[in-house]
Amino acid sequence: MDEERGLEHMIPKSRSSSSSSSSSSSAAGSPRSGLIEPLLVNNSRLNTTSQIAIVGAKVCPIESLDYEIIENDLFKQDWSSRGKAELAQYMILRWAIALLIGLGTGLVAFFNNIGVENIAGFKLLFTNDLMLNHKYYKAFAVYASCNMVLAIAAASLCAYIAPAAAGSGIPEVKSYLNGVDAPSILAPTTLFVKIFGSIFGVAAGFVVGKEGPMVHTGACIANLLGQGGSEKYGLTWKGFRYFKNDRDRRDFITCGAAAGVAGAFRAPVGGVLFALEEAASWWRSALLWRTFFTTAVVAVVLRGFMEYCKGEKCGLFGEGGLIMFDVNSVKPAYSIPDLLVVIFLGVIGGLLGSLYNYLVDKVLRTYSIINEKGPIFKIILVMIISFLTSCCSFGVPWLSKCIPCPSHVGDQCPTVGRSGHYKNFQCPPNHYNDLASLFFTTNDDAIRNLFIAGSDKRFLLSSLLIFFVAIYFLGIITYGIAIPSGLFIPVILAGASYGRVAGSLLSPFTVLDVGLFALLGAASFLGGTMRMTVSLCVILLELTNNLLMLPLVMLVLLISKSVADCFNKGVYDQIVEMKGLPYLEAHAEPYMRQLVAGDVVSCPLVTFSKIEKVGNIVHTLKVTRHNGFPVIDEPPLSDAPELCGLVLRSHLLVILKHKVFTTMQEGMPLIINKLRPHDFGKPGSGKGIKLDDLEISEEEMEMYVDLHPITNRSPYTVIETLSLAKTAVLFRELGLRHLLVLPKTPGRLPIVGIMTRHDFMPEHILGLYPQCNPYNK
């Protein structure tokens, strides 16, 4: 657990215990009148909030990532000793890994699409053959059974192998890039289940997309490559030892998330902007280049495979298998009245999007109670939703009337024995069922149907309304079950359907085609749920290949996001909050301006001396779970106690494992001569060093360790009277794990405490000072 701090080493026990009791009573029982009096006396405040979160369906301890460069003697010697050849190798390897991330994500995206198109296509063709022979009950039994088998396969993978693979994965990737390290979210097993679970789940006919899972998949691929493979499974590459740190992995995972969007939507520029706007918490120009290179590789890989698959070389997968909704046949022409209609559509999208997020939050909280009961309950819930979805997909089209085929489409209508836009279903020859064209098909083909120009295909208004209501609520109840599931496709489906409804109703007041209204409806609903603007705008333009719609898409996204922000947060932010992940926002909360860093810092501390006894280190690591310890120089090594720096728990474990000990009489050997910098690298998917696995004799317990070579001599520090709002912004912008708080006045210990991300969480701050809570006023 990422408590990060200590309790009472080098502080008199009587003082420590008394201050502990007094601080708890003052913090909890006697809040200050106003916020004028300083709270520097609260020097034994402990923070136990936000240190666990929901991962999969389990409550797990949460660690923080170390994005700070640990500038100790080992680091300085390593960089000073590197020649031009090693520096060039480091740079080349970074670009090589970016290339591999793009290749891997592109291959997975193609495999994902070819799997879904073939499995779902054969299922629908087989069912359609039975329908043509009027074996309707048998057709439903086959259709529902196929969906059920695929659903059980996806749910079993998630329930028994990798629970962290359930859901979208975007909230987890977003939290990781913010500095939150939750167990198994990027593990190889999660990658495996994400790929196959997404194929089975989408092919099973659920109202889910593969776009969110593709972002998670890209991040998992980047993590696997960036850490040099997996030590747990014996797959490692020594050449990648340079990247065994959180800072480089953060950059690779950012590239992976962007590559996932590029692979899902065939939108390389949109992928870069998605990583910039939604996923990443830190950005710089060098990362922009590598991310753009990665998404470009994905685009090239997908284009190459699409060209190869022309001519039915890949089964039912063809050029339409990868998402591309071409609305270029309709030229948008609009005037001032049309802009008013678009504004109205944006407002409706914002209202529907905020309601969607509210209902998704309620459903997720309900499902979490069910999922906690065990894997079998997860699978039963998936089976129920699968049967309900099959009933809707097969049963609802019977409510629609048969529509005569348009004369200009020729033999394309009705669609018999192949995939297409004009589903015959139960209709007589030369007629099609418009609801079956939306329900009884893959989600991608349903979107293509909705984006078709009004002159090319006609939908009954009642059919569009039925489809909108069904998809709106099916998307809500499906998200949260134990399968990999994305929100983009359900939201685009619902938005495009109500956009087409609005286009039909408002046709007397506008010259825009209903197909363009479907695009604008999808944009408004995406803006109302996701709360993204720039990246969504570019993704939609790359999807539809229609740059002329840029002004209208920009307008509708800005309005829908502004309206929805008045009611609640974006859907991914809600899920992060619901899971309990300690995410640091880019801005400080207003109540933080009334407090200072010393008001919330958790202390007293566990500290070490420059030369520390092995037994003290072992004892401290056993009785605490802290990950950072201040190192204090004391007399006679210095005139007065002074802060030397910060030493990490992981580095201490390396010292204990290699037994770099000595007696005081022998003189302290330099750790630099016995260990190399890569010995202190962060382990990959393996467990790393555990204290329980180390065997240290009683004689070794009496020996000593010189901590100076592994001590970060220049940790980030703030004075205890610095505004908490400024401290929070500083902590996030620098990507810190530990921030040392120093006293303002002399004559005290050289350090007041250590702040971690948990100290900036609202539940911790408002628990100490409930009078700061704006909802209590």
Side-chain angles (χ1 to χ4, degrees):
M1 197 177 298
D2 198 13
E3 298 174 45
E4 317 283 352
R5 285 113 355 179
L7 296 173
E8 51 189 47
H9 185 68
M10 289 187 62
I11 298 176
K13 289 191 176 181
S14 58
R15 172 186 166 188
S16 173
S17 59
S18 62
S19 63
S20 176
S21 60
S22 64
S23 80
S24 61
S25 61
S26 63
S30 57
R32 294 181 297 167
S33 58
L35 292 168
I36 302 174
E37 181 182 348
L39 296 177
L40 305 183
V41 296
N42 291 340
N43 60 351
S44 58
R45 191 181 301 109
L46 298 180
N47 182 1
T48 57
T49 62
S50 70
Q51 295 177 6
I52 56 174
I54 299 174
V55 180
K58 295 182 179 179
V59 177
C60 303
I62 295 300
E63 298 285 349
S64 295
L65 297 170
D66 254 323
Y67 292 151
E68 180 186 359
I69 295 177
I70 307 301
E71 294 184 350
N72 53 31
D73 292 347
L74 280 169
F75 171 83
K76 294 175 182 177
Q77 186 199 49
D78 179 47
W79 274 98
S80 62
S81 63
R82 288 187 185 183
K84 292 183 179 180
E86 285 186 291
L87 293 176
Q89 182 186 12
Y90 174 72
M91 295 298 297
I92 293 171
L93 278 175
R94 286 204 295 183
W95 285 95
I97 292 178
L99 173 65
L100 292 174
I101 292 170
L103 291 173
T105 308
L107 288 171
V108 169
F110 172 74
F111 176 71
N112 196 318
N113 279 277
I114 199 173
V116 169
E117 290 290 318
N118 279 284
I119 296 174
F122 283 118
K123 174 191 69 177
L124 292 171
L125 289 177
F126 186 42
T127 307
N128 191 56
D129 289 340
L130 294 174
M131 295 283 292
L132 292 174
N133 295 323
H134 305 289
K135 299 178 180 179
Y136 300 125
Y137 291 106
K138 188 175 181 180
F140 173 72
V142 169
Y143 179 72
S145 299
C146 290
N147 287 344
M148 187 68 71
V149 170
L150 292 168
I152 292 174
S156 299
L157 288 173
C158 284
Y160 290 105
I161 298 178
S168 167
I170 292 179
E172 287 79 5
V173 173
K174 182 177 179 178
S175 298
Y176 184 93
L177 293 176
N178 189 258
V180 179
D181 188 12
S184 302
I185 59 172
L186 299 175
T189 53
T190 304
L191 172 62
F192 172 81
V193 173
K194 207 74 180 184
I195 294 172
F196 289 96
S198 179
I199 293 174
F200 295 149
V202 176
F206 285 114
V207 185
V208 297
K210 49 186 177 290
E211 292 68 35
M214 271 305 304
V215 174
H216 196 177
T217 298
C220 289
I221 292 172
N223 181 66
L224 185 65
L225 293 171
Q227 69 187 20
S230 172
E231 293 181 3
K232 181 178 180 181
Y233 298 102
L235 301 172
T236 57
W237 298 277
K238 292 183 179 179
F240 292 166
R241 65 182 182 275
Y242 297 120
F243 307 119
K244 288 189 175 293
N245 61 82
D246 291 327
R247 193 179 185 87
D248 282 317
R249 288 183 195 172
R250 174 189 66 188
D251 292 350
F252 292 139
I253 290 169
T254 302
C255 293
V261 174
F265 290 114
R266 251 169 53 192
V269 180
V272 175
L273 293 175
F274 172 85
L276 171 61
E277 182 179 8
E278 180 67 13
S281 295
W282 296 278
W283 197 264
R284 62 184 190 277
S285 58
L287 181 59
L288 176 66
W289 277 100
R290 284 204 302 277
T291 306
F292 185 69
F293 171 71
T294 307
T295 57
V297 172
V298 174
V300 171
V301 170
L302 292 180
R303 173 55 62 183
F305 277 110
M306 288 175 59
E307 292 296 327
Y308 171 78
C309 284
K310 286 184 177 179
E312 300 182 355
K313 292 181 181 179
C314 303
L316 296 178
F317 177 81
E319 187 175 351
L322 286 158
I323 295 178
M324 177 60 78
F325 313 123
D326 195 349
V327 295
N328 223 12
S329 58
V330 181
K331 302 296 182 183
Y334 46 88
S335 58
I336 297 299
D338 299 318
L339 295 179
L340 296 177
V341 171
V342 171
I343 291 173
F344 171 75
L345 198 63
V347 173
I348 298 300
L351 294 173
L352 289 174
S354 60
L355 176 62
Y356 192 90
N357 291 359
Y358 173 79
L359 295 176
V360 164
D361 181 73
K362 297 300 181 184
V363 169
L364 286 176
R365 294 180 185 277
T366 303
Y367 284 175
S368 66
I369 299 174
I370 299 173
N371 291 336
E372 286 175 359
K373 296 181 181 297
I376 191 65
F377 287 90
K378 296 181 185 180
I379 296 174
I380 292 173
L381 179 60
V382 171
M383 293 171 65
I384 293 172
I385 301 300
S386 174
F387 183 74
L388 179 61
T389 304
S390 298
C391 290
C392 286
S393 300
F394 193 90
V396 172
W398 292 89
L399 302 176
S400 177
K401 298 178 181 178
C402 294
I403 303 174
C405 290
S407 57
H408 64 276
V409 298
D411 59 355
Q412 296 181 19
C413 180
T415 301
V416 179
R418 65 183 189 278
S419 60
H421 298 316
Y422 301 92
K423 295 291 184 181
N424 179 261
F425 207 63
Q426 89 291 5
C427 293
N430 298 321
H431 288 72
Y432 71 94
N433 186 313
D434 58 345
L435 264 180
S437 301
L438 298 175
F439 273 111
F440 204 65
T441 185
T442 62
N443 293 332
D444 293 354
D445 282 339
I447 296 175
R448 292 187 184 94
N449 274 280
L450 290 169
F451 283 175
I452 287 178
S455 58
D456 294 332
K457 185 171 183 180
R458 183 169 69 92
F459 286 95
L460 297 176
L461 186 61
S462 58
S463 298
L464 291 172
L465 287 171
I466 291 172
F467 181 74
F468 167 68
V469 173
I471 288 297
Y472 190 89
F473 289 103
L474 279 176
I476 290 171
I477 64 173
T478 303
Y479 191 78
I481 61 177
I483 62 170
S485 53
L487 277 174
F488 274 95
I489 291 300
V491 169
I492 291 176
L493 278 170
S497 58
Y498 83 71
R500 202 167 179 107
V501 168
S504 301
L505 294 176
L506 299 174
S507 56
F509 309 101
T510 179
V511 297
L512 290 174
D513 185 82
V514 289
L516 298 179
F517 262 100
L519 171 61
L520 294 173
S524 68
F525 202 13
L526 283 168
T529 53
M530 311 292 181
R531 312 295 164 84
M532 293 180 280
T533 52
V534 180
S535 57
L536 280 179
C537 181
V538 174
I539 288 172
L540 287 172
L541 293 178
E542 289 184 284
L543 271 177
T544 57
N545 195 26
N546 194 337
L547 192 60
L548 296 175
M549 288 295 291
L550 176 62
L552 296 183
V553 173
M554 291 173 63
L555 179 63
V556 79
L557 279 170
L558 288 170
I559 293 173
S560 61
K561 180 187 184 307
S562 301
V563 171
D565 281 340
C566 298
F567 299 96
N568 49 32
K569 295 182 178 180
V571 63
Y572 296 132
D573 293 325
Q574 285 190 171
I575 295 171
V576 167
E577 185 177 322
M578 189 202 73
K579 287 178 174 289
L581 297 168
Y583 186 88
L584 291 176
E585 298 290 347
H587 61 277
E589 297 293 338
Y591 58 78
M592 291 185 178
R593 304 188 185 281
Q594 307 175 58
L595 301 168
V596 296
D599 290 342
V600 299
V601 66
S602 301
C603 49
L605 299 168
V606 171
T607 63
F608 290 126
S609 300
K610 171 187 174 181
I611 299 175
E612 189 61 71
K613 200 172 185 179
V614 174
N616 289 344
I617 296 176
V618 173
H619 174 74
T620 300
L621 296 182
K622 280 184 177 179
V623 299
T624 69
R625 297 181 182 178
H626 317 319
N627 288 281
F629 303 92
V631 177
I632 306 292
D633 281 344
E634 292 184 290
L637 300 176
S638 62
D639 295 335
E642 61 181 33
L643 179 65
C644 176
L646 187 77
V647 65
L648 299 181
R649 180 190 190 93
S650 59
H651 291 182
L652 292 172
L653 289 171
V654 173
I655 296 297
L656 295 177
K657 177 183 177 181
H658 291 87
K659 299 187 177 183
V660 191
F661 313 145
T662 187
T663 62
M664 290 293 290
Q665 289 77 15
E666 294 176 357
M668 302 303 299
L670 290 177
I671 293 175
I672 296 176
N673 298 330
K674 292 195 173 184
L675 297 176
R676 297 185 60 81
H678 64 261
D679 293 327
F680 295 88
K682 183 173 181 179
S685 299
K687 300 288 186 179
I689 304 174
K690 284 187 173 182
L691 183 63
D692 295 338
D693 297 334
L694 301 179
E695 295 182 1
I696 302 176
S697 65
E698 290 295 330
E699 182 181 353
E700 290 171 334
M701 287 286 193
E702 299 300 321
M703 301 178 78
Y704 293 86
V705 176
D706 183 5
L707 298 180
H708 268 197
I710 60 170
T711 299
N712 182 2
R713 304 285 189 89
S714 54
Y716 286 98
T717 62
V718 296
I719 196 105
E720 61 186 347
T721 54
L722 182 67
S723 162
L724 185 60
K726 289 184 177 180
T727 308
V729 172
L730 175 73
F731 191 94
R732 185 188 189 275
E733 292 301 317
L734 294 175
L736 302 180
R737 183 178 190 178
H738 305 97
L739 181 61
L740 278 59
V741 180
L742 306 183
K744 183 179 181 180
T745 56
R748 300 162 56 187
L749 285 174
I751 179 171
V752 175
I754 301 178
M755 299 191 75
T756 67
R757 67 176 49 245
H758 305 290
D759 293 313
F760 298 101
M761 293 297 107
E763 56 266 31
H764 172 59
I765 300 173
L766 298 179
L768 293 172
Y769 309 109
Q771 69 272 24
C772 294
N773 193 338
Y775 299 105
N776 291 342
K777 297 180 180 180

